Amino acid sequence: MNMANAVREHLVSMLVHNKPGVMRKVANLFARRGFNISSITVGDSEVPGLARLIIMVKGDERIIEQIEKQAYKLVEVVKVTPIDPIPENRVEREMALVKVKFGDQKQELFQLVEIFRGKIVDVSKEGAIIEITGSRSKVEAFIRLLSENQIVEIARTGIVAMNRWNVVEKEGF
Amino acid sequence: MKGSKMLFEALLREGVDTVFGIPGGAIINVYDELCNYENKIRFYLFRHEQGATHAADGYARVTGKPGVVIVTSGPGATNTVTGIATAYMDSVPLVVITGQVPTSMIGTDAFQEVDVTGITMPITKHNHLVTSVEELPYSIKEAFFVATTGRPGPVVLDFPKDIQTAEGEFDYPEKIEILGYKPTVKGHPRQIKRAMELLKNSKKPLVIVGGGVNISGAMDLVNQFLDKFGIPAVSTLMGRGVNPSNEKLYYGGIGMHGTYYGNYAVANADLIIALGVRFSDRIIGNPKTFAKNAKIVHVDIDPAEIGKNVRADVPIVGDVKSVVSEFLKYDFKTDFSEWIEELQEVKRRFPLRYEKGGKFIKPQYIVEKVDEVFPDDTIVVADVGQNQMWVAQYYKFKYQRSFVCSGGLGTMGYALPAGIGAKIGVPDKEVVVFAGDGGFQMNIQELMTVRRYDIPLKIIVMDNKALGMVRQWQQLFFNCRYSATILADNPDFAKIAEAIGIRAMKIEKPEEVDRAIEELARSKGPMLVHALIDPAEVVLPMVPPGGDVGSPLVEAPYDENLVERILSFEKSRGE
Ligand SMILES: Cc1ncc(C[n+]2csc(CCOP(=O)(O)OP(=O)(O)O)c2C)c(N)n1
């Protein structure tokens, strides 16, 4: 399989006018064009009045090119910047809060939290809430290592990311 | 100034003098204000909001100006949806203003409340719910600016009732800039140069003229380009009007019902220069075999079209008019006479043709007769289905913006209201509407609008007693099982027209066609011809869906049983 047809996850950073309904428009556009969003986050950007969306989608190169071009068709979209697929070239973070029961594995749990440099942000007799921050794969690895009957609740922020200083950003289409 | 007055002041500043619509509770203040603008804005009341929207669309397609629609909330707004989607697919500039319940009631499932921006999101270039009277002037400006610049398209402005009555400052921006919205007009010089180098080295070049050429008003330049370099051309359904002075350079339509030789040209070209084309599935058939021998130069104002359905070897983002005028600055000798001779030979062997003679009127003949009798600059509006394809095949369009039909969405019921809008837009030209019996009944109520404003529209209903195009597919691909397509019980359309007060004529014999069409051309007022046509006629050639454009069906058996079935139905009715 050549690279162009390979399906992988892509991150794009989108600067948009911060107006009511803009998230809905972006999400709607992606759904209509058959692009699968696996993560979307939104927050204020460095420019007043503009918000930044970080979106993760799955697809091949052609789909990714279409995403950028289609996104620009929304009047609300100001700029689309692809985030470098090479992990060393970007900084990517996600945070998860995980509510866990101790059961008889309290010690193991504390060890795990330490290995993953997580934080215990709340404790009680039955269990704790753990905050874990890192790349998506790190967050997911942590969750995978917990046993299913330990987990009570998970809340995740979705991914925020940006290219490192040394990455020359290619102007979107 | 009140919000509703601001709307009309803004319309005047945008040069709008024609508006289409139907009033209602959530827009009643705007309609009240309309009374104060009667001598500046011509308003046309339709009988259905779909009709009003198609009319605005027809008006926009022939004039190039945005079509403006004003309707009420809820059902008024939802009735425009098909019209908006139709305009969206064919890149037609519309500004649709929908009344909305007062802002304080939004989200409460108030009477006649629907989420208009939600519903129309995927079928508009842009939409916006006005949230305060302060932002109203800017929002209207933005609506017109976005609808008419770059790749045009419909914009919906949802206008709550309390903002219509609110007082505010009317400060209308002359010009606006939207951060991040800047359509590229000029093509990249390097890409243009690459395209011209490919042309220089090509043996079998072909220009595909698309709807973008009509929209940008570039048809004359395209004709010059073809003549200057002697390049043969074909057109998509939306790209009709190609008319180089050397007629050996034009090979008709392409795609599903294109000419044999047009599709042959596509399949055998070594270079395709696609101008304002979006390479829809109806054009390319099987994407794997489409133009497999050709390098593709793709010119379009919308970057998202480039590389969407077919690969582009030379992408040129820009306005076709600007790009073609750059092409014309190049000077080099070309000689494609061998290629043209090849195409001429194919055309001689596989011409567009239909069986003449026989007891029924042939629809293709009606189209040829209209072409012969009506002036050259006539605007022809077709509905959807076989009628549309016969018009596209047999009418020789000579000018840009002279063929109006729903290409991308294929909306039955489009032609009558769009024809009304077209005639309102260019009252000095003849406007002929072709419709099938099925589609005609989808907006037949607009005959009342023709009567109300005495619009001298010429209407031809080609009645094959069936939902013809679907019936054709059943005939060819479903063993003649005519599931839900036979309309043997159609009414007498001439009588309906007469009851409304429109002159009409019904014809059923081939020898009646000439006189009817001549009458139609002579008629000063509106007139309808109800033509009973061959009920088993099919549109050929045909590239089956997803098929190879190089090898279309050119023949199909004539279904005598179908004819029998329809005739016996008439007998059983004692007609
Ligand atoms: C609103 C709508 N409904 C259904 C269709 C599907 N359709 C495409 S062509 C066709 C038949 C059209 O029949 P008619 O209007 O009589 O025209 P003809 O093909 O016979 O010329 C139908 C039902 C459509 N295009 N539009």
Side-chain angles (χ1 to χ4, degrees):
Chain A
M1 205 197 301
N2 71 22
M3 261 309 276
N5 293 329
V7 172
R8 57 179 181 84
E9 303 223 84
H10 301 256
L11 276 168
V12 280
S13 175
M14 240 184 243
L15 207 54
V16 300
H17 288 270
N18 197 357
K19 284 202 212 157
V22 59
M23 277 284 273
R24 182 165 74 150
K25 282 193 182 179
V26 173
N28 202 304
L29 170 83
F30 278 51
R32 173 161 64 97
R33 296 282 171 185
F35 308 146
N36 257 325
I37 298 182
S38 45
S39 165
I40 184 165
T41 59
V42 62
D44 286 345
S45 72
E46 66 282 8
V47 189
L50 300 186
R52 189 177 295 284
L53 298 177
I54 307 289
I55 302 173
M56 184 179 243
V57 273
K58 227 183 180 153
D60 57 21
E61 283 309 323
R62 199 193 62 88
I63 295 260
I64 296 317
E65 187 184 311
Q66 270 294 306
I67 285 174
E68 281 182 57
K69 289 172 167 181
Q70 293 292 346
Y72 272 117
K73 293 180 73 160
L74 292 177
V75 170
E76 290 83 354
V77 171
V78 176
K79 193 160 185 261
V80 183
T81 312
I83 289 182
D84 203 305
I86 301 167
E88 293 76 48
N89 286 344
R90 66 186 192 205
V91 178
E92 176 203 322
R93 289 289 179 274
E94 178 166 13
M95 189 183 96
L97 293 177
V98 189
K99 192 181 274 177
V100 233
K101 276 198 294 244
F102 291 138
D104 51 7
Q105 307 198 322
K106 195 164 170 179
Q107 260 341 94
E108 287 92 329
L109 183 71
F110 287 168
Q111 272 168 16
L112 202 59
V113 172
E114 201 165 316
I115 294 169
F116 278 82
R117 297 209 195 118
K119 267 192 225 153
I120 294 169
V121 288
D122 182 48
V123 248
S124 79
K125 272 223 283 297
E126 305 99 285
I129 296 176
I130 294 150
E131 175 195 316
I132 182 102
T133 306
S135 66
R136 168 159 281 195
S137 50
K138 175 179 162 187
V139 170
E140 288 183 343
F142 176 79
I143 293 170
R144 250 197 325 273
L145 287 172
L146 297 172
S147 70
E148 230 169 86
N149 48 19
Q150 259 184 308
I151 299 174
V152 178
E153 189 178 340
I154 297 177
R156 290 166 63 170
T157 56
I159 300 170
V160 290
M162 49 178 78
N163 286 320
R164 284 188 189 272
W165 273 103
N166 63 353
V167 174
V168 185
E169 287 186 350
K170 107 170 158 43
E171 183 64 43
F173 209 89
Chain B
M1 191 187 290
K2 279 207 171 60
S4 48
K5 190 169 177 62
M6 288 186 190
L7 174 62
F8 288 102
E9 287 300 318
L11 291 183
L12 293 181
R13 281 175 183 60
E14 293 297 332
V16 173
D17 58 9
T18 308
V19 171
F20 308 87
I22 299 184
I27 196 80
I28 196 164
N29 304 83
V30 168
Y31 273 86
D32 184 58
E33 193 60 45
L34 175 65
C35 297
N36 299 327
Y37 289 84
E38 260 173 356
N39 50 5
K40 294 194 183 113
I41 286 175
R42 292 176 302 165
F43 175 75
Y44 291 91
L45 176 67
F46 277 69
R47 296 298 160 110
H48 190 297
E49 289 87 351
Q50 184 188 354
T53 315
H54 288 326
D57 166 312
Y59 174 91
R61 289 192 205 221
V62 297
T63 62
K65 296 192 277 187
V68 178
V69 185
I70 303 181
V71 298
T72 193
S73 66
T78 53
N79 271 351
T80 65
V81 165
T82 303
I84 294 170
T86 303
Y88 182 69
M89 289 295 272
D90 292 342
S91 310
V92 179
L94 293 186
V95 174
V96 180
I97 293 146
T98 52
Q100 181 56 281
V101 301
T103 42
S104 60
M105 281 158 84
I106 286 177
T108 64
D109 299 322
F111 178 63
Q112 295 194 329
E113 178 189 0
V114 295
D115 173 9
V116 171
T117 49
I119 288 173
T120 61
M121 194 175 294
I123 52 166
T124 48
K125 184 173 174 192
H126 181 56
N127 68 25
H128 179 68
L129 167 68
V130 183
T131 53
S132 72
V133 74
E134 287 73 36
E135 67 165 62
L136 181 62
Y138 179 87
S139 303
I140 302 170
K141 180 77 208 178
E142 184 184 67
F144 278 91
F145 178 64
V146 172
T148 55
T149 50
R151 179 181 183 171
V155 174
V156 168
L157 201 59
D158 205 17
F159 192 9
K161 192 175 161 86
D162 54 325
I163 299 174
Q164 297 165 27
T165 54
E167 287 283 347
E169 193 76 46
F170 181 67
D171 191 5
Y172 199 68
E174 280 271 308
K175 269 183 84 173
I176 58 167
E177 256 185 61
I178 305 171
L179 193 60
Y181 177 84
K182 196 152 209 225
T184 309
V185 173
K186 276 181 66 98
H188 198 291
R190 199 181 64 230
Q191 301 293 46
I192 290 176
K193 184 154 177 244
R194 278 180 65 204
M196 289 294 98
E197 262 152 22
L198 285 179
L199 176 62
K200 210 187 292 179
N201 296 320
S202 155
K203 295 216 158 48
K204 299 181 169 192
L206 181 73
V207 170
I208 302 182
V209 178
V213 172
N214 275 314
I215 293 170
S216 88
M219 201 62 89
D220 284 348
L221 285 177
V222 169
N223 289 332
Q224 280 174 39
F225 176 57
L226 302 178
D227 280 324
K228 175 166 182 176
F229 294 100
I231 318 167
V234 291
S235 68
T236 69
L237 191 63
M238 309 318 288
R240 294 298 202 271
V242 190
N243 188 19
S245 32
N246 176 358
E247 47 177 73
K248 281 188 177 172
L249 295 180
Y250 183 56
Y251 291 88
I254 54 169
M256 186 172 275
H257 292 294
T259 59
Y260 185 93
Y261 39 94
N263 280 325
Y264 175 93
V266 172
N268 291 280
D270 66 7
L271 171 67
I272 284 176
I273 301 177
L275 304 175
V277 172
R278 63 186 177 87
F279 288 113
S280 89
D281 52 287
R282 287 301 195 253
I283 289 295
I284 62 181
N286 180 353
K288 293 221 168 63
T289 59
F290 176 77
K292 57 182 185 299
N293 304 318
K295 287 241 182 308
I296 296 178
V297 173
H298 193 176
V299 182
D300 205 286
I301 197 158
D302 181 357
E305 286 306 337
I306 295 177
K308 186 182 79 178
N309 293 344
V310 301
R311 79 204 133 74
D313 299 285
V314 182
I316 304 180
V317 178
D319 181 17
V320 172
K321 196 171 183 176
S322 156
V323 173
V324 174
S325 60
E326 291 301 319
F327 286 170
L328 279 167
K329 290 185 186 152
Y330 281 77
D331 253 322
F332 49 83
K333 275 234 153 330
T334 48
D335 177 9
F336 304 122
S337 53
E338 241 174 71
W339 169 226
I340 290 168
E341 211 20 73
E342 179 181 340
L343 295 178
Q344 286 291 320
E345 176 57 26
V346 176
K347 188 171 173 181
R348 275 190 291 275
R349 282 176 46 213
F350 298 97
L352 258 190
R353 55 177 211 96
Y354 60 94
E355 277 328 308
K356 296 181 181 124
K359 58 184 185 229
F360 294 116
I361 294 175
K362 290 292 179 179
Q364 300 93 331
Y365 181 72
I366 300 180
V367 177
E368 289 180 326
K369 191 68 195 172
V370 169
D371 194 1
E372 179 196 319
V373 172
F374 277 75
D376 269 0
D377 64 352
T378 296
I379 305 279
V380 177
V381 186
D383 209 76
V384 163
Q386 293 184 309
N387 63 87
Q388 178 185 29
M389 293 302 127
W390 286 318
V391 171
Q393 291 180 331
Y394 287 89
Y395 198 93
K396 297 194 178 61
F397 295 96
K398 299 191 178 63
Y399 296 97
Q400 66 188 12
R401 294 188 183 278
S402 63
F403 182 34
V404 174
C405 72
S406 167
L409 198 68
T411 309
M412 285 170 72
Y414 172 79
L416 175 61
I420 297 172
K423 184 71 191 174
I424 289 168
V426 287
D428 298 339
K429 290 185 186 169
E430 283 280 5
V431 177
V432 180
V433 165
F434 286 91
D437 45 300
F440 189 62
Q441 293 179 76
M442 288 199 184
N443 271 316
I444 195 168
Q445 77 284 352
E446 302 308 343
L447 282 176
M448 281 302 304
T449 310
V450 172
R451 172 71 278 185
R452 182 184 178 96
Y453 299 103
D454 218 359
I455 291 165
L457 199 61
K458 310 299 170 65
I459 303 161
I460 300 168
V461 182
M462 303 217 255
D463 184 0
N464 52 10
K465 306 260 177 199
L467 297 168
M469 187 54 94
V470 181
R471 189 218 69 216
Q472 166 165 345
W473 284 42
Q474 291 168 339
Q475 206 163 336
L476 298 176
F477 313 122
F478 292 87
N479 265 325
C480 297
R481 233 157 55 137
Y482 299 119
S483 173
T485 45
I486 304 303
L487 299 177
D489 54 350
N490 268 335
D492 182 328
F493 296 110
K495 279 195 183 144
I496 291 179
E498 277 164 359
I500 287 172
I502 294 171
R503 211 180 134 205
M505 196 185 244
K506 183 174 176 179
I507 56 173
E508 46 195 318
K509 297 197 190 74
E511 57 273 21
E512 294 173 305
V513 174
D514 287 9
R515 199 175 67 87
I517 301 304
E518 279 152 18
E519 262 312 295
L520 197 65
R522 258 198 306 275
S523 175
K524 289 267 176 288
M527 180 174 167
L528 179 144
V529 171
H530 177 186
L532 292 167
I533 61 167
D534 189 336
E537 187 64 352
V538 290
V539 182
L540 290 170
M542 175 172 195
V543 179
D548 193 347
V549 297
S551 41
L553 292 177
V554 286
E555 273 176 341
Y558 186 81
D559 188 357
E560 290 287 357
N561 292 335
L562 169 64
V563 178
E564 225 12 75
R565 182 169 159 192
I566 284 169
L567 293 182
S568 65
F569 179 88
E570 276 170 24
K571 267 192 225 108
S572 74
R573 277 252 183 123
E575 278 186 46

